[in-house]
Amino acid sequence: MNPIMPTIPLDAPGKHHGFLRLPYSRNDSAWGSVMIPITVIANGTGPTALLTGGNHGDEYEGPIALQQLAWDLEPDNISGRVIIAPYLNYPAFRAGTRVSPIDQVNMNRCFPGRPDGTVTQKIAHYFDSVLVPMADVVLDYHSGGKTLDFLPYAAAHYLDDPDQQAACVAAMRAFGAPWSMMMREIDAVGMFDTAVESQGKVFVTTELGGGGTATAASSRIAIRGARNVLRHAGILSGAVEADQTRMLDMPGDDCFHFTTRDGLLHPLVDLGEDVAEGQALAQIWPADRTGLAPVEIRANRDGILAARHFPGLVQMGDCLAVIAVA
Ligand code: CA
């Protein structure tokens, strides 16, 4: 039995703002709680959408879009139910960190979670066992956080069930980001994505920017995307407002480029630029001396630069670049 208790009804008509209250006994509060903000808006009959941000605590487009939506959306606007959780890993969001400062757990590697686990594992378990089963469609926002930057895209995964995959791709296209990605994961075990998809749901994720902040443009994409997904699902009335989205694919593990030394990152290609196989994507200069040649990171394949390491210093093993194919 998961210890989280919602402070608002999850199935009542109207608009309710409250919290998922997770008991968290600790030195500075013996009977304290983690209070995870949640809004539920419901009216009449229709599908349920679960909208989540802050799965990683240093990614901001999702939280911005979902605060806006929780503020703007009224029961009269919808048929069905919208469950909004802008700060999924709330302790990480408050700390501005990717993983939780309480248990150092990466929310997006701990699904399906544990009812008797750490704080992050308990939150994951509540979403996996209570909120995801209520949902027909799930939108989970990501961005690059402090260490990555992305072309703004919505994404779907290749799935065993072709009908489910087609439904996810249609919802991804409805989101209406400038780019739409058939996404390959480095490490899919424990991801929210995998957990939601395994329950047969329509799932859309995003990568909308990065560097540990949001821009005006990325925020606009995020807000419009949520509304579009709700319209596509038949929950929000009105037509999907999408410009032409450009499709991208990550056809193999050679899309990823990892550094094999530490140093100073000298980018040679920016996001969105075309690259050819063998072209130098970046140079890594020594961090400790002059007079040594830089190490060059060369493209494994033709394509477009879809993601890059954001900080100016790199560590051996960092993912430096992702090349996607149009
Ligand atoms: Ca992320």
Side-chain angles (χ1 to χ4, degrees), residues 56 59 98 142-143 207:
H56 293 129
E59 303 174 4
R98 179 171 178 81
H142 285 259
S143 305
E207 297 288 0

Side-chain angles (χ1 to χ4, degrees), residues 21-315:
R21 191 179 66 77
L22 168 60
Y24 173 43
S25 179
R26 58 196 193 269
N27 284 336
D28 63 345
S29 188
W31 287 3
S33 310
V34 175
M35 302 290 279
I36 304 155
I38 187 170
T39 294
V40 179
I41 306 161
N43 182 47
T45 55
T48 292
L50 172 62
L51 312 179
T52 53
N55 182 330
H56 293 129
D58 61 349
E59 303 174 4
Y60 297 100
E61 283 82 0
I64 290 167
L66 296 181
Q67 279 283 14
Q68 186 75 53
L69 205 66
W71 183 252
D72 288 342
L73 200 62
E74 297 298 339
D76 287 351
N77 307 141
I78 68 164
S79 296
R81 176 170 54 175
V82 183
I83 302 171
I84 301 172
Y87 314 138
L88 188 57
N89 195 340
Y90 181 64
F93 173 78
R94 288 302 298 263
T97 53
R98 179 171 178 81
V99 307
S100 174
I102 294 174
D103 52 22
Q104 301 301 319
V105 170
N106 180 343
M107 173 72 77
N108 217 29
R109 299 293 183 276
C110 82
F111 278 85
R114 295 175 60 101
D116 60 349
T118 68
V119 163
T120 308
Q121 291 168 330
K122 286 173 178 169
I123 298 170
H125 180 265
Y126 185 81
F127 276 78
D128 187 73
S129 64
V130 178
L131 296 183
V132 171
M134 293 178 177
D136 300 286
V137 57
V138 178
L139 168 61
D140 186 42
Y141 283 97
H142 285 259
S143 305
K146 287 176 177 167
T147 68
L148 291 170
D149 196 13
F150 285 87
L151 277 185
Y153 63 77
H157 297 104
Y158 291 105
L159 301 174
D160 292 337
D161 177 344
D163 294 336
Q164 186 189 9
Q165 180 179 313
C168 294
V169 167
M172 165 185 73
R173 296 184 75 111
F175 184 97
W179 303 87
S180 295
M181 177 78 82
M182 291 309 295
M183 197 168 177
R184 177 176 294 267
E185 302 292 350
I186 293 176
D187 180 16
V189 175
M191 291 180 69
F192 186 45
D193 314 51
T194 309
V196 174
E197 288 160 354
S198 72
Q199 293 190 37
K201 309 298 183 179
V202 176
F203 181 75
V204 179
T205 187
T206 71
E207 297 288 0
L208 294 178
T213 190
T215 66
S218 65
S219 300
R220 282 193 290 267
I221 293 165
I223 292 166
R224 192 182 71 162
R227 294 180 168 281
N228 276 340
V229 169
L230 294 178
R231 291 185 183 113
H232 175 76
I235 297 171
L236 181 63
S237 61
V240 169
E241 291 173 13
D243 308 324
Q244 192 62 39
T245 187
R246 286 163 285 183
M247 291 298 298
L248 291 173
D249 198 353
M250 290 164 63
D253 288 336
D254 64 353
C255 292
F256 299 101
H257 298 72
F258 297 93
T259 62
T260 52
R261 62 161 297 164
D262 296 356
L264 165 67
L265 173 62
H266 174 180
L268 299 173
V269 176
D270 284 325
L271 291 177
E273 290 186 10
D274 291 327
V275 297
E277 182 180 343
Q279 180 182 342
L281 300 173
Q283 301 184 138
I284 312 294
W285 290 100
D288 59 351
R289 69 199 61 215
T290 56
L292 288 182
V295 170
E296 288 191 333
I297 307 296
R298 294 185 174 277
N300 295 330
R301 60 183 310 138
D302 293 354
I304 180 172
L305 189 69
R308 55 154 285 193
H309 179 82
F310 189 79
L313 296 177
V314 296
Q315 299 178 73

